[in-house]
Structure formats: C-alpha cells, structure tokens
C-alpha cells in the first residue's frame, strides 16, 4: 500500500513542478514579449483609437471566457481584424488568467466546456495552441476539440516550445493564403 501511495505522491510532485515551470515560463515569456512589443502595442492602440468608426467604444473588445477550473474572466483584445488584436492577451498571460500555450479560449457555456470536454478547464486557455498551428478556421469543431483535449492530457514545456515555434509561420501562411484568395486572377 505504501508503494502505491509513494508513486502517487511522486507523480503529483512531478506534475506540480511541471505546472510551476510552465507558469514561470509564461510569466517570463509574457513580460519579455510585452517589453519588446510595447511600441507596437501603443501604435495599434493609437491606430484603433484614431480609426474607430464608432467613437466612445474604446480600443478594446471584451469577451467573457472560461479560465482555469471554469472561472470566467473578461478577455481583452484590440478592436481590429488583424493578428495584432491578440496583443492584450499577453496581459492575461502575465496575470495568470491565460497561458502562452493552451486550449482555445471559449465562453463559459460553450458545449466544449461540458461533459468530457470539461477536462480542458484543468489548464489555462492559451494565446496559441495546437488548434492555432493546425489551420484554426479550416478545422471542424470536433477536430479542434480533440486537439485541445490531447494537449490537456499530454502537455509539457517541450510541447509548448514547439507550438510557439510553429505559431508565427502558421499565422504568416494563413495571411498569405488570404491575400492570394482576394487577389484578382491574371489574364493571359
């Protein structure tokens, strides 16, 4: 009996160290990104404020999402349709509401936050994740849910580093594909 209990304690200790390492990585990475991107952060905020069609709405969009253990929080993004809209999410990473890498943030009542999908609430939602690098908008909901649950069950710091390394190229590919789709066809 003592052997099983010892293994359980060892497993929970290893999981605790992994969670602490992930949180430390999020804080250090989030602060570094905020420092490096602060001029861009300010420029986007100013651009949105000056270009807003509806004065008084502010530069930030607010949306309630389910965080760790399902606790709702107000997620902030810029009111723009570019990838730069996500810059304010770094504030949530630093404050512990989000992670650099994790499941897609969903509203508290979303069907993927119930039943078996409730496992996704055992980790913080992410700024990016497997769903982001796998063609986010082209994936059926069921496949995105499977990617999120696989991440929840098998994540570790190495996975996070791999996802982060693949995020920027994935965003660039999507933007290039979007530009190519809107470009007029050439005539011979």
């Amino acid at each position: 009996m003592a052997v099983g209990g010892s293994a359980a304690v060892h497993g929970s200790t290893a999981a605790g160290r992994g969670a602490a390492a992930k949180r430390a990585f999020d804080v250090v990475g989030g602060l570094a990104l905020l420092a490096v991107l602060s001029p861009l952060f300010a420029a986007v905020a100013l651009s949105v404020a000056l270009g807003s069609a509806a004065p008084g709405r502010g530069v930030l969009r607010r949306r309630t999402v389910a965080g760790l253990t399902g606790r709702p929080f107000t997620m902030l993004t810029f009111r723009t349709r570019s990838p730069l809209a996500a810059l304010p999410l770094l504030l949530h990473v630093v404050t512990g509401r989000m992670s650099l890498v994790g499941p897609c943030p969903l509203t508290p009542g979303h069907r993927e936050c119930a039943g078996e999908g409730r496992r996704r609430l055992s980790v913080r939602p992410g700024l990016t994740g497997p769903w982001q690098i796998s063609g986010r908008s082209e994936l059926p909901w069921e496949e995105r849910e499977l990617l999120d649950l696989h991440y929840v069950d098998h994540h570790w710091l190495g996975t996070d580093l791999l996802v982060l390394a693949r995020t920027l190229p994935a965003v660039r590919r999507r933007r290039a594909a979007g530009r190519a789709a809107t470009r007029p066809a050439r005539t011979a």
Side-chain angles (χ1 to χ4, degrees), residues 86-112:
L87 285 175
L89 297 180
L90 289 170
L91 298 171
H92 298 308
V93 170
V94 172
T95 60
R97 291 186 181 98
M98 291 183 74
S99 180
L100 289 172
V101 179
C104 178
L106 299 173
T107 58
H110 196 281
R111 68 173 180 80
E112 289 183 35

Side-chain angles (χ1 to χ4, degrees), residues 63 65-66 73 75 89 98 102-107 120 125-127 131:
R63 185 176 130 212
V65 297
F73 72 94
M75 186 173 78
L89 297 180
M98 291 183 74
C104 178
L106 299 173
T107 58
R120 73 187 349 271
L127 181 68
W131 48 273

Side-chain angles (χ1 to χ4, degrees), residues 42-156:
V44 172
L46 183 62
S47 173
V48 171
L50 294 176
S52 177
R57 284 183 40 191
V59 298
L60 296 173
R61 178 177 289 122
R62 290 164 171 75
R63 185 176 130 212
T64 301
V65 297
L68 185 63
T69 68
R71 179 175 290 145
F73 72 94
T74 302
M75 186 173 78
L76 303 173
T77 56
F78 282 128
R79 290 187 183 276
T80 177
R81 292 177 180 251
S82 77
L84 300 176
L87 285 175
L89 297 180
L90 289 170
L91 298 171
H92 298 308
V93 170
V94 172
T95 60
R97 291 186 181 98
M98 291 183 74
S99 180
L100 289 172
V101 179
C104 178
L106 299 173
T107 58
H110 196 281
R111 68 173 180 80
E112 289 183 35
C113 291
E116 180 158 340
R118 191 143 178 83
R119 289 194 335 255
R120 73 187 349 271
L121 302 175
S122 66
V123 297
R124 290 175 179 86
L127 181 68
T128 186
W131 48 273
Q132 177 85 6
I133 62 174
S134 299
R136 166 177 69 178
S137 59
E138 294 83 27
L139 290 177
W141 277 99
E142 297 79 20
E143 193 170 333
R144 185 167 72 178
E145 182 177 18
L146 288 175
L147 284 170
D148 279 347
L149 291 177
H150 185 270
Y151 174 83
V152 168
D153 294 339
H154 303 284
H155 74 281
W156 62 289

Side-chain angles (χ1 to χ4, degrees), residues 18-39:
K22 180 174 174 58
R23 182 69 192 122
F25 179 73
D26 283 343
V27 171
V28 171
L31 287 172
L33 286 169
L34 278 172
V36 169
L37 298 174
S38 60

